[in-house]
Amino acid sequence: PAVRRRFLPALASLLAVALDREELEREALAAEELRLSDSVKTAILRAASHDLRSPLTAIRVAAESLASPSVTLSDDDRARQLDTVRRESVRLDRLVANLLDVSRLEAGSTVSRPELVSLDELVAQAVAELGSEDRVRAELATDPPLVQVDPVQVERVLVNLVENALRYSRPGSDVVVAVTSEDSEAVVRVVDDGPGIPAAELERVFEPFQRLDGSGGRRGVGLGLTIARGFAEANGGRVWVEPRPGAGASFAVAFPLARSALGAER
């Protein structure tokens, strides 16, 4: 009994300290989540105030010149202004979609609806959506690999990777998109001949609102690669950068081969 009288108060004190520490850790975690949430909101507002303003201004100026009775435009000038409206509208739509997607990924509200699809088809659709068939050289697999993924989300992954490669490639050069099957995965590599990525930046490029030093004023809110990784992981895949010192960048995305494809291989 004497031992119990001494032991129980000590145990109660230890439990109280442990509970207090757990409560403090919960409060610290909540504060950190709130800080990160505020950082994301601030970055989104900054993107909305700067990056969204640029295409809106271009569309407004082009539309005003087309509608103004005091401005005389040749057929070529009119065609150029209409092309500006179309091009900047597409850019604006993609910026807004990226902001919405990263908000859903941050909130954990992304829902994938897997289907059995050919990765070759998704690559072709992504290139067609960008309208860059003349600048993309596709190297497709002889036997197109099948994957069980959400086709809409994975197409967004590929669109963002190819668009990123096109943005950083040298003018007039091709971007190579190669599809292969490796072990139990289907892999897509998107290779450009741009300035490349320093070793210290290989992971940072996937963080939201990041632009590499020396990006030369290239446009974009820095969300494409974040969304690519988020959607890839939501579909059981992974995205990474393969170092190519002095020879551009190579982004790779891999998804597990569908069971039917694995069965056929065996």
Side-chain angles (χ1 to χ4, degrees), residues 55-118:
L56 284 172
T57 300
I59 292 169
R60 180 177 57 80
V61 170
E64 287 176 353
S65 66
L66 288 167
S68 175
S70 62
V71 177
T72 302
L73 298 174
S74 66
D75 290 343
D76 287 344
D77 289 338
R78 186 176 296 275
R80 277 193 292 270
Q81 296 288 32
L82 287 171
D83 184 62
T84 295
V85 172
R86 181 198 61 79
R87 187 177 61 253
E88 294 298 327
S89 296
V90 170
R91 179 184 166 211
L92 180 62
D93 181 68
R94 192 165 289 128
L95 285 170
V96 172
N98 279 343
L99 288 169
L100 291 174
D101 284 338
V102 81
S103 296
R104 294 189 188 101
L105 288 167
E106 290 285 340
S109 59
T110 301
V111 178
S112 298
R113 295 176 174 82
E115 300 177 15
L116 186 63
V117 293
S118 164

Side-chain angles (χ1 to χ4, degrees), residues 161-162 164-170 173-178 188-199 201-202 205-206 212 225 240-253:
L161 291 179
V162 174
N164 180 76
L166 289 169
R167 182 180 296 123
Y168 285 93
S169 288
R170 292 181 297 180
S173 64
D174 289 341
V175 166
V176 177
V177 182
V188 180
R189 285 184 173 83
V190 181
V191 184
D192 65 63
D193 67 347
I197 302 173
E201 306 285 343
L202 292 179
V205 295
F206 292 104
L212 291 179
L225 296 179
W240 69 98
V241 189
E242 297 174 332
R244 300 179 74 232
S250 174
F251 284 84
V253 55

Side-chain angles (χ1 to χ4, degrees), residues 33-43:
E33 289 176 348
L34 182 61
R35 186 188 67 79
L36 291 174
S37 176
D38 287 343
S39 297
V40 170
K41 290 175 183 176
T42 300

